[in-house]
Amino acid sequence: MSKKVLIVGGVAGGASAAARLRRLDEDAHIVMFERDPYISFANCGLPYYIGGSIQDRSKLLVQTPEAMHKRFNIDVRIQSEVVSIDPVNKKVRVESIEKGSYEESYDAL
């Protein structure tokens, strides 16, 4: 049975960790939670967007949930916030716009 790994947060840290884990373990069931609608964007480009040099906000988006799933087979859950962690029972509580409130078990977090 494959190991189930939960990653809390996307953007640079979470998305990079998920991709690296996939390269190290092809069989792991990886779930990445991101509370915002975007999992990855170019942080260094934000001043240019705010300053008006970059007009189109979509130019800052680096990776989409669909592309991340297709390329790395990662279960990406956007607009899903991990609100509590139960390390004894290896479960997290998630508040999701799409699924409501639910628990998710894990082998590694």
Side-chain angles (χ1 to χ4, degrees), residues 11-47:
V11 193
S16 295
R20 177 74 174 140
L21 177 59
R22 174 55 69 223
R23 289 183 191 103
L24 295 172
D25 187 346
E26 292 181 11
D27 298 322
H29 177 195
I30 304 168
V31 182
M32 184 174 68
F33 297 97
E34 171 54 48
R35 68 180 172 185
D36 292 322
Y38 308 106
I39 62 164
S40 184
F41 55 89
N43 286 326
C44 57
L46 288 175

Side-chain angles (χ1 to χ4, degrees), residues 57-76:
R57 187 173 130 192
S58 69
K59 298 286 184 194
L60 298 176
L61 302 179
V62 178
Q63 185 70 271
T64 65
E66 298 79 19
M68 190 89 171
H69 181 266
K70 184 177 180 180
R71 182 171 180 195
F72 297 106
N73 191 26
I74 295 170
D75 180 357
V76 179

Side-chain angles (χ1 to χ4, degrees), residues 2-109:
S2 64
K3 177 170 60 170
K4 185 175 182 182
V5 181
L6 304 185
I7 297 175
V8 180
V11 193
S16 295
R20 177 74 174 140
L21 177 59
R22 174 55 69 223
R23 289 183 191 103
L24 295 172
D25 187 346
E26 292 181 11
D27 298 322
H29 177 195
I30 304 168
V31 182
M32 184 174 68
F33 297 97
E34 171 54 48
R35 68 180 172 185
D36 292 322
Y38 308 106
I39 62 164
S40 184
F41 55 89
N43 286 326
C44 57
L46 288 175
Y48 298 101
Y49 175 70
I50 292 168
S53 296
I54 296 175
Q55 300 290 321
D56 184 2
R57 187 173 130 192
S58 69
K59 298 286 184 194
L60 298 176
L61 302 179
V62 178
Q63 185 70 271
T64 65
E66 298 79 19
M68 190 89 171
H69 181 266
K70 184 177 180 180
R71 182 171 180 195
F72 297 106
N73 191 26
I74 295 170
D75 180 357
V76 179
R77 301 184 190 174
I78 57 171
Q79 297 183 310
S80 297
E81 182 176 9
V82 173
V83 294
S84 66
I85 301 170
D86 179 354
V88 173
N89 295 305
K90 292 192 168 189
K91 293 182 180 180
V92 296
R93 171 146 306 278
V94 180
E95 296 290 335
S96 169
I97 290 183
E98 185 177 311
K99 297 182 178 185
S101 181
Y102 66 95
E103 286 187 336
E104 190 74 39
S105 64
Y106 64 86
D107 296 310
L109 179 64

